[in-house]
Amino acid sequence: MIHLIIGTQGAGKSTYSMNLAEKINGIHLSIDDWMQELFGPDLPVPMDFGWIMIRVHRCEQRIWSTAVKIAQTGGNVILDLGFMKVQNRSLYLGLAKEHGISTQLHYINAQLPTRLERVMKRNADKSKTYSFEVSPAMFHYMENEFEPPTEDELKDIVFINTDESI
């Protein structure tokens, strides 16, 4: 099975994903980990969104290929790719269906002040889920990019509110 973890920055997706992986003996695949390890040292200054997105797409392709192999051999995969857009989630759900792989959506949510506070604290502490600095401007930009789950997605979703946890 492939678990798709969706939510905005600071909601607790990475923490939830790592905990879920441990609970179900699954493999956690995070876009942040891949991007930081493969491209972090080469990140242009100032940041170039086009440069980043080309590499995100490459990582997503490799992560997907790895996820399919794991799932087809009976393993559980937790995809921590953000899944900010409905179109992106639909694409991965469709690809899984084409491969005969079952899926589960998990929507991780928390209130905006909680999420912003977590992200700023993660920047300062460089904690376990820290991969790169997220400026307040970047946080607010990404906030506007997120598309909440649709009615269809909500039918079979695992909803987790992390305002009181994490």
Side-chain angles (χ1 to χ4, degrees):
M1 174 177 272
I2 296 180
H3 299 264
L4 286 77
I5 312 303
I6 66 175
T8 53
Q9 292 180 100
K13 295 182 306 295
S14 294
T15 299
Y16 176 82
S17 296
M18 289 184 277
N19 290 339
L20 179 61
E22 189 173 309
K23 179 180 176 181
I24 66 171
N25 195 28
I27 304 297
H28 172 239
L29 300 174
S30 166
I31 189 65
D32 291 348
D33 294 345
W34 285 57
M35 285 294 294
Q36 180 59 33
E37 186 171 329
L38 295 174
F39 304 114
D42 306 317
L43 191 64
V45 178
M47 261 199 237
D48 178 340
F49 190 70
W51 185 94
I52 291 169
M53 291 314 297
I54 288 169
R55 284 149 184 86
V56 164
H57 183 68
R58 286 182 198 159
C59 284
E60 287 175 343
Q61 287 178 319
R62 175 64 14 227
I63 289 169
W64 177 251
S65 175
T66 302
V68 167
K69 289 175 184 173
I70 294 167
Q72 286 178 332
T73 59
N76 290 305
V77 180
I78 297 84
L79 290 182
D80 184 5
L81 307 183
F83 295 108
M84 300 286 286
K85 301 287 188 184
V86 172
Q87 180 180 2
N88 190 250
R89 298 189 296 262
S90 296
L91 170 67
Y92 281 84
L93 292 170
L95 289 170
K97 188 174 184 176
E98 286 176 16
H99 286 89
I101 300 169
S102 59
T103 57
Q104 177 66 64
L105 285 174
H106 301 252
Y107 179 35
I108 316 307
N109 194 24
Q111 296 297 311
L112 182 110
T114 301
R115 292 185 287 106
L116 180 58
E117 181 181 327
R118 285 178 185 162
V119 169
M120 295 304 112
K121 184 172 178 8
R122 183 175 61 205
N123 285 344
D125 296 348
K126 310 255 186 299
S127 62
K128 178 169 95 169
T129 60
Y130 177 84
S131 294
F132 55 89
E133 181 92 12
V134 176
S135 69
M138 186 187 304
F139 177 89
H140 290 295
Y141 173 81
M142 293 306 293
E143 187 68 22
N144 292 324
E145 291 295 304
F146 181 72
E147 295 175 356
T150 64
E151 283 188 39
D152 281 345
E153 289 175 324
L154 288 171
K155 289 177 186 171
D156 296 312
I157 206 163
V158 174
F159 180 82
I160 305 293
N161 184 312
T162 65
D163 278 311
E164 299 300 322
S165 61
I166 304 258

